[in-house]
């Protein structure tokens, strides 16, 4: 307890210094960190895809939430489990969305995203070191160091997302298979750290790798048990249940830590002796070990890339593979497709007239998804008619604020009008 009193005295005598603002790195830290990364993947997918909020809107929403919770965390005078881990959960979602935005909306290749975020992370570490002369999380006791810490955490989540998705793109592994590479790398880093590797380097390498590990666990749990070729297969829990299960686990763990205070640095230091001592010679040898592990991981990825696997996605919904070319619809398939869109347009119009805005929105979103899936086959039937209908379909989507950035939905009357135009065009312009 004497150590805690000494630190508190330092706080009273130096207005710029606080108690350490981050938890001690124990097994609980890594458990809850992986739980947070899983939520970052599954909850972002749930809001963006299942609720139909849209990638851009979801990104803006969680950016605002991130700013709010980070402000709360920065205003605390010491590490507190609830604001700290809430910030980690939110930054995991935000970091995931920033990478997905670049990949899905802007079309940046994943290898470029991985390279850019790696360079950005190196730059952040470089400036952090030049300003503070330490990258240790045991010294996050000033506003400046905490700011650098959270910027680093945000970039590591974005980098982990990009490299994880790039790995899947190269290897086409299933979610369950993809768990083993980051897990093996983390265990290797832990072994090298235990042997004598630089603790700061070991920590940040493992921290980055928990992102693809947690994301792959989330995909393995949420993905359907049966899926089309090119799509992930998992336990079929869905993104909502996966998010709820892991959020509950995070909440339970945070409550335990808030009560036990076993991860408070000052409490931990007062009751534990260091288990790893610094040895420059071992650090140099372990650095070579990190290089060997990286080369082995690269070899595994290269081997996985060389194995026979699907190179395109027949559903057109994959985040990591291009859609497969689809054959031209025959007359019967074309009539069925047009009838389907006529039915969806009528259903959305009826929902609007009945005041069921959410049902109308979901119906139009389904129409958008089906239209995207059928576009290649319909274009081959009659590209001129497809272009006309595609433009009108886009006008409908705009009135519902779907795929048109941060705009508000139009009034129901305007939505019904555009749906009516689309329905008329479907009936009058034959393929």
């Amino acid at each position: 307890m004497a150590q805690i009193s000494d630190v508190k005295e330092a706080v009273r005598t130096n207005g710029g210094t606080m108690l350490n603002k981050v938890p001690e790195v124990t097994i609980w830290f890594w458990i809850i960190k992986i739980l947070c990364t899983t939520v970052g993947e599954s909850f972002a997918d749930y809001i963006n895809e299942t609720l139909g909020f849209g990638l851009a809107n979801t990104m803006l929403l969680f950016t605002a939430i991130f700013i709010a919770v980070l402000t709360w965390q920065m205003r605390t005078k010491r590490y507190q489990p609830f604001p700290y881990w809430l910030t980690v959960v939110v930054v995991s979602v935000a970091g995931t969305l920033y990478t997905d935005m670049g990949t899905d909306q802007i079309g940046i290749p994943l290898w470029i995203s991985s390279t850019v975020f790696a360079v950005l992370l190196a730059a952040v570490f470089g400036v952090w070191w030049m300003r503070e002369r330490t990258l240790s999380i045991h010294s996050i006791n000033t506003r400046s160091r905490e700011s650098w810490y959270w910027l680093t955490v945000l970039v590591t989540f974005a980098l982990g997302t990009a490299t994880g998705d790039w790995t899947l793109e190269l290897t086409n592994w299933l979610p369950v298979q993809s768990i083993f590479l980051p897990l093996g790398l983390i265990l290797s880093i832990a072994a090298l750290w235990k042997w004598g590797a630089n603790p700061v380097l070991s920590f940040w390498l493992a921290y980055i790798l928990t992102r693809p590990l947690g994301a792959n666990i989330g995909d393995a749990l949420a993905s359907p048990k049966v899926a089309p070729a090119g799509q992930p297969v998992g336990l079929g829990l869905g993104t909502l249940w996966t998010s709820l299960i892991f959020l509950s686990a995070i909440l339970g763990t945070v409550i335990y830590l808030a009560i036990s205070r076993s991860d408070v640095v000052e409490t931990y230091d007062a009751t534990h002796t260091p288990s790893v001592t610094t040895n420059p010679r071992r650090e140099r040898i372990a650095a070579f070990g990190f290089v060997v592990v990286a080369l082995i991981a690269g070899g595994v990825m290269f081997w996985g890339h060389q194995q026979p696997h699907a190179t395109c996605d027949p559903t057109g919904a994959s985040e990591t593979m291009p859609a497969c070319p689809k054959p031209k619809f025959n007359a019967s398939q074309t009539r069925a497709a047009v009838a389907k869109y006529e039915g969806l347009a009528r259903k959305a119009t009826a929902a609007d007239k009945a005041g069921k805005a959410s049902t109308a929105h979901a119906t139009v979103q389904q129409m958008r998804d089906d239209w995207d899936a059928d576009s290649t086959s319909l274009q081959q039937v009659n590209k001129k008619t497809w272009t006309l209908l595609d433009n009108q379909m886009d006008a409908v989507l705009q009135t519902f604020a779907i795929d048109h950035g941060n705009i508000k939905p139009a009034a129901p009357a305007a939505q019904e009008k555009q749906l009516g135009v689309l329905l008329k065009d479907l009936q009058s312009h034959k393929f």
Side-chain angles (χ1 to χ4, degrees):
M1 298 298 293
Q3 294 184 20
I4 299 177
S5 299
D6 292 343
V7 175
K8 289 182 177 179
E9 181 62 29
V11 175
R12 287 193 291 269
T13 57
N14 183 355
T17 304
M18 304 169 288
L19 290 173
N20 203 49
K21 296 291 295 294
V22 301
E24 178 60 44
V25 183
T26 65
I27 186 62
W28 291 110
F29 178 93
W30 294 113
I31 289 174
I32 197 169
K33 173 63 168 59
I34 294 171
L35 292 173
C36 289
T37 57
T38 301
V39 169
E41 178 76 7
S42 58
F43 197 55
D45 287 345
Y46 174 71
I47 294 179
N48 172 30
E49 299 174 5
T50 307
L51 294 185
F53 204 62
L55 184 57
N57 289 335
T58 306
M59 183 195 69
L60 292 172
L61 170 65
F62 274 93
T63 297
I65 296 174
F66 172 52
I67 293 171
V69 297
L70 181 60
T71 301
W72 179 23
Q73 162 64 21
M74 294 286 285
R75 286 181 176 177
T76 61
K77 298 299 183 183
R78 62 177 183 178
Y79 161 66
Q80 295 180 18
F82 281 101
Y84 175 86
W85 287 112
L86 177 60
T87 306
V88 174
V89 170
V90 175
V91 77
S92 71
V93 180
T96 299
L97 290 168
Y98 295 150
T99 298
D100 289 346
M101 189 71 182
T103 303
D104 298 340
Q105 296 289 338
I106 304 177
I108 301 174
L110 286 168
W111 72 268
I112 293 181
S113 298
S114 300
T115 303
V116 169
F117 285 126
V119 171
L120 179 59
L121 182 61
V124 172
F125 276 137
V127 178
W128 183 1
W129 169 259
M130 286 189 294
R131 290 181 62 89
E132 305 294 339
R133 293 300 173 185
T134 179
L135 301 178
S136 172
I137 67 165
H138 291 95
S139 60
I140 310 299
N141 51 13
T142 67
R143 297 292 186 201
S144 174
R145 291 179 179 179
E146 187 178 13
S147 299
W148 286 111
Y149 172 80
W150 286 113
L151 177 59
T152 302
V153 169
L154 178 62
V155 178
T156 61
F157 272 108
L159 174 61
T161 301
T163 54
D165 289 348
W166 187 27
T167 300
L168 296 180
E169 182 180 71
L170 288 173
T171 62
N172 201 36
W173 286 335
L174 294 174
V176 174
Q177 295 172 310
S178 62
I179 290 173
F180 294 101
L181 180 59
L183 178 60
L185 290 173
I186 291 172
L187 294 176
S188 299
I189 292 169
L192 287 169
W193 164 77
K194 195 70 176 177
W195 187 77
N198 182 280
V200 175
L201 176 61
S202 301
F203 170 82
W204 286 112
L205 288 175
Y207 199 95
I208 294 169
L209 288 167
T210 56
R211 171 57 184 77
L213 174 61
N216 294 339
I217 292 173
D219 285 341
L221 294 172
S223 298
K225 295 180 179 179
V226 179
Q231 290 298 294
V233 177
L235 297 181
L237 293 181
T239 53
L240 176 59
W241 278 108
T242 300
S243 299
L244 292 176
I245 290 171
F246 277 72
L247 283 171
S248 299
I250 292 170
L251 179 61
T253 307
V254 170
I255 291 174
Y256 165 76
L257 295 175
I259 295 173
S260 68
R261 297 182 59 79
S262 59
D263 65 336
V264 175
V265 171
E266 293 75 28
T267 302
Y268 186 89
D269 289 345
T271 57
H272 292 75
T273 55
S275 58
V276 179
T277 57
T278 301
N279 183 313
R281 180 175 175 273
R282 287 200 170 195
E283 282 194 11
R284 288 193 296 270
I285 297 173
F288 177 74
F290 285 137
V291 174
V292 172
V293 170
L295 291 174
I296 293 174
V300 171
M301 289 174 59
F302 179 77
W303 173 83
H305 180 61
Q306 297 301 312
Q307 301 307 302
H309 58 259
T311 58
C312 63
D313 171 34
T315 68
S318 174
E319 295 182 359
T320 58
M321 287 192 300
C324 295
K326 293 187 176 181
K328 175 182 176 180
F329 276 168
N330 58 34
S332 177
Q333 291 172 320
T334 302
R335 286 194 298 271
V338 172
K340 175 177 62 176
Y341 297 118
E342 290 177 355
L344 289 170
R346 291 191 181 96
K347 180 180 178 181
T349 301
D352 252 342
K353 290 180 177 179
K356 299 178 180 179
S358 60
T359 300
H361 185 279
T363 302
V364 171
Q365 189 158 20
Q366 179 187 346
M367 183 164 59
R368 184 276 313 270
D369 293 342
D370 290 350
W371 181 258
D372 288 345
D374 292 342
S375 287
T376 302
S377 299
L378 288 172
Q379 284 184 66
Q380 297 179 68
V381 178
N382 188 323
K383 188 171 184 179
K384 182 178 179 180
T385 297
W386 175 87
T387 302
L388 184 148
L389 293 174
D390 186 64
N391 290 333
Q392 186 54 44
M393 188 76 69
D394 187 68
V396 171
L397 295 177
Q398 185 172 2
T399 64
F400 282 85
I402 298 174
D403 297 341
H404 280 78
N406 191 26
I407 64 173
K408 294 183 178 180
Q415 295 174 349
E416 293 169 26
K417 180 180 178 180
Q418 288 296 344
L419 285 167
V421 174
L422 174 62
L423 185 59
K424 182 180 178 181
D425 287 342
L426 285 166
Q427 294 170 339
S428 59
H429 292 83
K430 302 300 181 181
F431 276 97

